[in-house]
Amino acid sequence: MYYSSGNYEAFATPKKPEGVDHKSAYIIGSGLAALTAACYLVRDGQMKGEHVHVFEKNPIPGGACDGYKYDIGYVMRGGREMDNHFEVMWDLLRSIPSLETEGASVLDEYYWLNKEDPNYSLCRATVNRGEDAHTDGKFGLSDKGAMEIMKLFFTPNEQLQDKKITDFFDDEVLNSNFWLYWRTMFAFENWHSALEMKLYLKRYIHHIGGLPDFTALRFTRYNQYESIILPMVTYLKDHGVQFHYETKVVDVKFDINGKRKQASSVVVEHAGEISTIDLTENDLLFITNGGCVESCTMGAQDKAAGFDPTIKPGNGWDLWKKIAAQDPAFGNPEKFCSDPEHSNWESATITTLDDKIPRYIQKICKRDPFSGHTVTGGIVTVKDSNWLLSWTLNRQQQFRDQPKNQLCVWVYGLFSDKPGNYVKKAMRECTGKELCMEWLYHIGVPENQIEELAEHSANTIPVMMPYIDAFFMPRAMGDRPDIVPEGAVNFAFLGQFAETGRDTIFTTEYSMRTGMEAVYTLLDIDRGVPEVWGSTYDVRALIDATVKLRDGKKITDMDLPLIPRLAMKEALKKIEGTDLEKFLKEYHAI
């Protein structure tokens, strides 16, 4: 497997891998990484669909990319923010037919939608019960804070092992608008991995300017399940791929002989029956290890979600622990799943039932939420919320069968253990109604109407996720297994807890990249995997981000000690009249 850039290989069809007709594939899980692996097995690996088996412990596919109507109401545990440089995602989705537009791909409909209805926010944060916080697109960083970020950006990965964000940032950063934007957009906590923070900075350096108003983002028309998962599943079924639902993989055994590692058997549980599938070198195994939505608990309008981080047999953490016990190369799951108090947050889906709540939404987002176009344009963060509450409305309707007079609002809070400002209970202890009351309070509903509207004008379903931020926990090299560990002959790891260079977790692209790299490596497909977008090596992006991070202030305006200030003055003299001076002026650096 190798990386490529440019369009020479982007449009090429690889030759059929040698011996693929005699191979089979078994995929554990049906999340985005697993489905991507299955799609690449079929499209570029040209494996017969009936030779591909997907094991899913739940009755439906999709993993964390969900969006369903249960008997208690609509539920989205989360949402997905995409960017224009998700290279693997677009490489695959150009081949997945749209379920709505004949002759178009999922990429086509996504591209047309985001061109016609570009994303941007008109209110990024509120205070004082629905008033605009007037962050006004400013990062509010001091020179010292900007230097702290720059220092982390240039610190080698080797020096960031097991380090926390607070090891590098102090109040100069942590009290700024920059950190408010960042932590709520990406769900970082102060105690999370400095290494992952640095990787994010490098990965999205080209989007620093679009961070305050979300112009950097793109969204699907419907929820992630209907817009992404269903078209992929339909494509795979049309090619004969076999899906085995309500089927748990409870163990995987390996034959390890020196450096050579072979997956030798899979133990499967279905309908209470245990069976073992023996594997040969021609039986490829793709393992989704860990899982950010494992051990979730769902509440209801009159029921709290609670908090139960118990790791149960057959879930992703239990399986990874059994696998990791067999070889050090298989990672260290304890780094990620041993401290759920530091890896959790709670979300909720609020469905409005009449016209009483939408008027308060419209006052804040400054758009008609029923238009079918961009509404909030990303999350609105309640700056003075004890839960650090954020909420968003993507294009409505978010579900194809959603009534036209209803809205689905997604709400989440980073501090699930803190008492609310209005409902004096921890978020995790709140019923759906109580959670809605807290939100209504923060969007400015008069207090004498809050309980009535939460009871009769909305239906709220909370979901508690103990491990949703597990991948952000401080880690060291080797804690996540390589996608294809050294010496592996017939297996690969997939998803957010498999290691690939330069890309960042908690993104659709990361999951899909692991799926593509796994298939391309095990089948030795002769086509390049598109490399991670190289903006971190682009001096234009670096200079542009440096200026925008400082709210447009020029580099020459930095508060520097005497000697560095004199050195800068001399350097500017030397470049006078050159293309370098012209370039720096073009990007407003000097």
Side-chain angles (χ1 to χ4, degrees):
M1 192 278 292
Y2 63 95
Y3 297 112
S4 64
S5 60
N7 61 16
Y8 175 62
E9 297 196 37
F11 308 120
T13 301
K15 288 184 177 180
K16 188 173 184 176
E18 187 177 343
V20 72
D21 286 341
H22 306 294
K23 294 180 184 292
S24 296
Y26 298 91
I27 303 174
I28 302 173
S30 68
L32 192 54
L35 295 179
T36 299
C39 288
Y40 277 114
L41 285 167
V42 168
R43 192 192 82 176
D44 294 349
Q46 299 164 65
M47 183 179 283
K48 296 174 183 175
E50 56 269 27
H51 289 188
V52 180
H53 298 266
V54 179
F55 298 127
E56 171 54 56
K57 66 179 183 296
N58 295 313
I60 42 180
C65 288
D66 63 350
Y68 321 119
K69 185 180 183 183
Y70 294 91
D71 56 354
I72 55 174
Y74 291 107
V75 177
M76 301 175 287
R77 285 181 292 192
R80 295 295 174 269
E81 304 161 335
M82 270 72 76
D83 121 298
N84 55 328
H85 287 301
F86 279 12
E87 311 298 335
V88 172
M89 189 173 198
W90 312 135
D91 180 88
L92 179 59
L93 294 188
R94 68 181 169 85
S95 298
I96 306 298
S98 164
L99 297 183
E100 291 198 318
T101 309
E102 189 173 351
S105 69
V106 172
L107 174 58
D108 291 333
E109 64 181 5
Y110 178 92
Y111 174 77
W112 297 332
L113 174 69
N114 284 279
K115 276 297 181 74
E116 292 164 7
D117 183 27
N119 191 76
Y120 61 98
S121 166
L122 294 173
C123 180
R124 178 61 182 85
T126 61
V127 291
N128 302 326
R129 306 194 56 215
E131 294 178 11
D132 193 323
H134 283 295
T135 52
D136 297 330
K138 302 293 186 184
F139 288 110
L141 283 164
S142 65
D143 283 350
K144 181 175 181 292
M147 291 302 290
E148 287 178 9
I149 293 171
M150 201 173 297
K151 179 183 177 183
L152 177 61
F153 186 91
F154 288 111
T155 299
N157 293 355
E158 293 77 10
Q159 295 178 25
L160 299 176
Q161 309 302 293
D162 290 322
K163 297 289 187 184
K164 299 176 183 177
I165 288 168
T166 47
D167 292 332
F168 287 82
F169 295 166
D170 60 20
D171 288 348
E172 298 281 339
V173 174
L174 300 177
N175 290 337
S176 68
N177 285 347
F178 168 83
W179 188 238
L180 176 77
Y181 300 149
W182 192 278
R183 74 190 309 192
T184 55
M185 180 178 176
F186 298 121
F188 273 93
E189 305 269 26
N190 294 15
W191 52 82
H192 282 158
S193 168
L195 172 60
E196 200 60 48
M197 180 72 197
K198 179 245 177 122
L199 292 174
Y200 259 76
L201 285 167
K202 293 178 79 72
R203 176 69 167 87
Y204 298 112
I205 194 70
H206 56 288
H207 280 324
I208 289 293
L211 192 63
D213 62 2
F214 293 130
T215 51
L217 299 182
R218 287 150 181 78
F219 294 94
T220 53
R221 174 59 187 87
Y222 299 107
N223 62 78
Q224 58 214 350
Y225 180 77
E226 293 182 69
S227 288
I228 300 174
I229 299 300
L230 280 184
M232 292 175 73
V233 170
T234 301
Y235 171 86
L236 291 169
K237 286 183 175 178
D238 287 347
H239 284 82
V241 171
Q242 306 294 301
F243 283 83
H244 307 272
Y245 295 115
E246 298 182 286
T247 302
K248 291 181 182 178
V249 175
V250 295
D251 204 358
V252 177
K253 299 296 184 184
F254 296 85
D255 181 10
I256 300 171
N257 186 2
K259 288 187 176 180
R260 186 183 184 280
K261 301 176 179 70
Q262 180 188 325
S264 56
S265 66
V266 176
V267 182
V268 173
E269 180 183 337
H270 176 72
E273 298 288 324
I274 301 287
S275 60
T276 298
I277 302 169
D278 293 324
L279 306 175
T280 69
E281 281 192 39
N282 282 328
D283 297 311
L284 307 183
L285 180 65
F286 298 88
I287 305 160
T288 307
N289 55 305
C292 65
V293 291
E294 297 288 19
S295 304
C296 284
T297 47
M298 188 183 300
Q301 175 80 345
D302 58 356
K303 177 187 172 187
F307 180 63
D308 182 11
T310 306
I311 294 173
K312 299 177 177 66
N315 83 10
W317 297 112
D318 176 65
L319 180 62
W320 188 11
K321 286 184 178 187
K322 290 176 180 175
I323 289 171
Q326 298 178 59
D327 194 278
F330 298 162
N332 183 7
E334 294 293 342
K335 276 288 185 72
F336 307 99
C337 68
S338 63
D339 190 6
E341 281 293 352
H342 284 102
S343 64
N344 77 81
W345 42 262
E346 184 169 355
S347 74
T349 307
I350 301 174
T351 304
T352 65
L353 304 178
D354 55 34
D355 62 356
K356 294 177 181 175
I357 295 174
R359 71 185 72 166
Y360 295 98
I361 293 171
Q362 186 163 351
K363 184 179 177 182
I364 291 171
C365 71
K366 305 177 179 68
R367 292 184 176 111
D368 175 7
F370 293 101
S371 68
H373 299 295
T374 295
V375 185
T376 57
I379 57 172
V380 179
T381 295
V382 182
K383 193 174 180 181
D384 51 355
S385 162
N386 290 349
W387 297 344
L388 194 53
L389 206 66
S390 296
W391 57 277
T392 184
L393 281 88
N394 286 340
R395 298 176 182 99
Q396 301 293 307
Q397 282 27 64
Q398 265 292 282
F399 295 80
R400 285 188 177 91
D401 69 350
Q402 185 182 326
K404 298 293 186 185
N405 62 344
Q406 295 184 359
L407 301 172
C408 278
V409 187
W410 185 75
V411 179
Y412 97 105
L414 277 174
F415 306 139
S416 72
D417 59 334
K418 301 287 191 292
N421 301 76
Y422 180 73
V423 179
K424 308 294 186 182
K425 295 169 68 174
M427 191 179 189
R428 64 180 67 166
E429 296 170 3
C430 286
T431 64
K433 174 188 166 182
E434 291 169 330
L435 200 150
C436 184
M437 288 169 62
E438 182 78 7
W439 174 67
L440 292 174
Y441 171 81
H442 283 298
I443 66 170
V445 173
E447 289 191 48
N448 63 356
Q449 297 177 33
I450 285 176
E451 186 165 8
E452 168 72 15
L453 294 188
E455 175 76 37
H456 298 293
S457 295
N459 181 56
T460 303
I461 313 298
V463 181
M464 183 65 197
M465 296 172 281
Y467 301 104
I468 188 63
D469 266 356
F471 28 58
F472 283 152
M473 296 299 282
R475 68 176 192 274
M477 291 176 181
D479 287 336
R480 301 190 302 195
D482 290 338
I483 293 171
V484 179
E486 185 180 358
V489 296
N490 71 334
F491 67 94
F493 292 96
L494 302 173
Q496 304 288 317
F497 299 94
E499 185 75 48
T500 184
R502 286 182 49 205
D503 221 333
T504 50
I505 45 81
F506 216 172
T507 61
T508 50
E509 175 71 356
Y510 194 93
S511 289
M512 298 180 81
R513 177 170 292 280
T514 63
M516 186 179 190
E517 291 189 8
V519 171
Y520 269 51
T521 302
L522 291 184
L523 285 183
D524 195 22
I525 294 174
D526 192 14
R527 174 179 178 260
V529 171
E531 71 165 350
V532 172
W533 183 247
S535 54
T536 189
Y537 306 116
D538 187 333
V539 68
R540 297 168 301 179
L542 295 174
I543 294 295
D544 185 59
T546 301
V547 173
K548 286 177 176 171
L549 198 61
R550 300 181 63 248
D551 296 328
K553 289 184 286 186
K554 295 174 173 53
I555 297 171
T556 45
D557 295 335
M558 286 191 77
D559 184 16
L560 295 172
L562 177 63
I563 292 176
R565 193 163 67 247
L566 291 173
M568 180 181 286
K569 195 172 181 181
E570 285 301 310
L572 291 174
K573 280 183 187 176
K574 298 225 180 256
I575 65 169
E576 197 171 334
T578 67
D579 273 350
L580 183 53
E581 181 189 45
K582 186 178 174 183
F583 164 75
L584 291 173
K585 284 183 175 178
E586 180 184 349
Y587 283 87
H588 309 292
I590 62 173

